Amino acid sequence: MQIGLVGLGKMGGNMRERIRAAGHTVVGYDTNPDLSDVGHLSDVVDRLDGPRAVWVMVPAGAVTQHVIDQLGSLLKPGDTVVDGGNSHWRDDEKHARELGARGIGFVDAGVSGGVWGLENGYALMVGGEEEHVERLKPIFDALKPDGPYGYVHAGRVGAGHFAKMVHNGIEYAMMQAYAEGWELLEKVDSVDNVREVYRSWQDGTVIRSWLLDLAVNALDDDAHLEKVRGYADDSGEGRWTVEAAIDNAVPLPAITASLFARFSSRQEDSPQMKMVAALRNQFGGHAVASADRPDRKSPASPGSPGSPGSPDEA
């Protein structure tokens, strides 16, 4: 299958490589000419046979809207646009209406996998009409992890990004729990090897998880997280999750508290936020603030090319 891919940052670039490895043709475009296969967005459309499919992997909001507006004028009826960024699900409904008026299909895809997706595959939560989703199934199969799980057609347009939003809200709460436990273990005199305590939980315990594995990775790099400032950004998805909970009268105390903890990290050097910042760096390659230079952020450590607001950012 042929597909265009717009946005070749830390996730988009790896996705291009994974799709190609599955035998499909990818025409990639990025504003960075060193990453791009073509010189202009219009070249992507020109290089694809109809009916075309173009996957957008750029920051949510104005940038996504700009790209979709351009594609709306370049594509033809019967073509399909996939938004794989972290767009708000209400924006998906707007984009589907705008493109649908031109006869162009629209699919929203929540994508999780971060900098590890090339190797492990990407979990995909997809929203859209059945005919548009089924057309893209070979690409979804190429991107998803091996095995029966990691892909779902979650529902109509907006469902994919709504599901990914809730996923990221849960991620906030899980990271916060690991961070709080780490701080308490570090605080008491009786425990003198916190890193190995965390390592001992990786097998046979009910709280084992990939996030726990990444916490151990971070502690292997810096046993007491002394190099990391206790500051953690929020990508916006946690806020959207809490807003949706309010709109639907659903209590989310753990997720809400974890979001507010991010805010508290901006007021002081929070020990818990050292772990949250380290975890964000481990799974998504997000930059961390250096402990010795609180005003500056250290480069992200497994590779850091790409733009803010990447789909796996939490």
Side-chain angles (χ1 to χ4, degrees), residues 15-286:
M15 288 169 63
R16 173 175 59 178
E17 189 172 341
R18 188 172 173 92
I19 294 168
R20 283 178 175 168
H24 302 292
T25 299
V26 182
V27 181
Y29 171 72
D30 195 276
T31 54
N32 180 349
D34 293 335
L35 301 176
S36 193
D37 298 325
V38 294
H40 302 281
L41 183 59
S42 59
D43 296 333
V44 174
V45 175
D46 292 342
R47 293 260 301 263
L48 298 173
D49 297 331
R52 302 167 186 84
V54 180
W55 189 306
V56 179
M57 287 293 292
V58 299
V63 178
T64 294
Q65 184 67 61
H66 177 66
V67 172
I68 287 178
D69 287 345
Q70 287 184 291
L71 288 173
S73 65
L74 293 168
L75 294 173
K76 304 297 183 185
D79 295 342
T80 305
V81 172
V82 183
D83 179 7
N86 263 350
S87 294
H88 193 282
W89 62 281
R90 291 291 189 194
D91 289 343
D92 295 329
E93 296 175 341
K94 175 176 179 286
H95 296 152
R97 286 195 301 272
E98 292 170 346
L99 293 172
R102 297 171 178 263
I104 301 167
F106 178 82
V107 173
D108 61 288
V111 183
S112 182
V115 296
W116 302 90
L118 174 59
E119 177 182 353
N120 298 334
Y122 299 88
L124 303 170
M125 295 140 272
V126 175
E129 295 180 16
E130 188 73 28
E131 63 175 302
H132 301 144
V133 171
E134 281 303 307
R135 254 201 79 209
L136 275 297
K137 195 64 165 53
I139 302 300
F140 298 144
D141 287 341
L143 288 170
K144 68 179 285 294
D146 295 335
Y149 307 117
Y151 164 81
V152 62
H153 182 185
R156 62 177 183 265
V157 166
H161 280 147
F162 193 94
K164 179 57 166 52
M165 176 190 75
V166 174
H167 166 280
N168 280 19
I170 293 169
E171 191 178 286
Y172 272 54
M174 290 177 67
M175 286 195 286
Q176 185 64 26
Y178 285 128
E180 291 176 8
W182 173 80
E183 182 179 1
L184 181 57
L185 287 166
E186 284 278 332
K187 188 73 173 180
V188 301
D189 294 333
S190 59
V191 179
D192 57 16
N193 201 340
V194 176
R195 177 179 60 190
E196 295 308 311
V197 170
Y198 264 51
R199 197 187 310 280
S200 75
W201 294 346
Q202 288 182 272
D203 290 308
T205 73
V206 72
I207 63 167
R208 65 189 184 275
S209 73
W210 187 42
L211 273 177
L212 179 62
D213 296 341
L214 295 176
V216 173
N217 288 352
L219 294 172
D220 281 340
D221 293 340
D222 181 4
H224 302 287
L225 301 183
E226 294 169 329
K227 301 174 185 175
V228 180
R229 183 185 170 208
Y231 175 100
D233 280 319
D234 71 287
S235 65
E237 297 242 331
R239 300 185 191 211
W240 294 346
T241 307
V242 172
E243 290 169 0
I246 292 169
D247 291 342
N248 291 278
V250 175
L252 299 185
I255 292 173
T256 302
S258 67
L259 173 64
F260 288 173
R262 301 280 183 100
F263 299 161
S264 72
S265 80
R266 296 161 203 182
Q267 299 169 353
E268 58 183 321
D269 190 20
S270 164
Q272 292 171 22
M273 287 304 115
K274 289 176 180 282
M275 175 59 78
V276 171
L279 281 168
R280 294 178 82 245
N281 176 258
Q282 286 288 323
F283 74 73
H286 305 304

